[in-house]
Amino acid sequence: MFATHAYQELLRRPGQLGIGLTVVEEVGSTNDWIKEAVGRLTVADRPPSVLAIKQTEGRGRRGRRWFLPEEGGLAFSFGWPLPEAMINAPGPATLVAGAALAAASHALTGAPPGLKYPNDLLVNGKKAGGVLAERANGADGRPWAVVGIGVNLSGVPDEENFDEECPLGAASVVSLAEEPVEISREQYLAAFFNAADYLYGRLAKGDLTPALDHFRRYDITKGKRVTVTGMGDPFTGVADGVDDAGALLVRTDDEVKTVLSGEVRFDGLSSGEAPR
Ligand code: BT5
């Protein structure tokens, strides 16, 4: 079970994100749950957040799937009202989630994880968590970011979940607790929201700097040869970090490209595989 009281005690106040968390026993996708909740809210309402004990239709990006381990996994989502200035470019809201994920993981395990642009959480080159950011409209028509996060705290999904369609197998999936570190869902969730609350608060004021600092600290994309798809013709180059707007810079033979959307993979790997 999830100890809501213990979790609330760990939340730093006066936070906004993560307060009033709803825990649901079973849900298709926590992102869909938040989308529905957001549809009833206005920008003045407290951002909703939800944790699923069991998630049956977990989604990854671009139609891929996310499997919540039977035990030792975490699947949660929250809504964040997009500030006026970000309505057309919600990308930074995604980057912030990755930064908070890395900060929470580092604080609780004592070991720095890696972030693969835009926000895969990696441990020893294997995937331990991911972020799915979407958009939804509130009751007043204002857009919200809907941010969903899956983390393998101490368990990994069954190998039988992975097949040809979903190729990332046991060899490239990892739990945060590779070392025997006990991290509870309550601890992790509170650490995440404490970091996220600060970073999103700054972003709401137009300041992406603290999130960029975090991202750059854990960025393992920089310096790697990458192929970018989903932005017109695929192209290959060397990742050169994120710019001040949170876009990935990729140096090709003749120019520096700015990647704000699209799929980035390390060369030599097929889509969905984690880097080595
Ligand atoms: C992601 O997608 O990494 C985003 C995952 C977001 C999941 C959360 S859970 C709560 C919320 N509600 C939802 O419905 N979703 C969000 P992507 O980069 O597309 O990676 C998907 C790939 O990760 C798939 O191809 C799988 O092979 C692999 N995968 C699935 N489950 C995994 C797991 N538990 N650990 C590591 N890799 C996994």
Side-chain angles (χ1 to χ4, degrees), residues 79-162:
W80 185 65
L82 286 166
E84 257 345 314
M86 285 179 57
I87 284 174
N88 295 318
T94 311
L95 195 87
V96 168
L101 203 54
S105 303
H106 192 175
L108 292 174
T109 63
L115 283 176
K116 172 175 173 279
Y117 191 88
N119 41 26
D120 282 348
L121 182 74
L122 302 175
V123 172
N124 298 331
K126 298 178 183 176
K127 186 154 170 166
V131 179
L132 172 68
E134 300 176 300
R135 281 226 275 183
N137 281 334
D140 53 0
R142 283 288 301 274
W144 291 61
V146 175
V147 184
I149 289 164
V151 189
N152 306 325
L153 288 185
S154 58
V156 291
D158 276 351
E159 194 163 356
E160 64 200 34
N161 286 312
F162 299 98

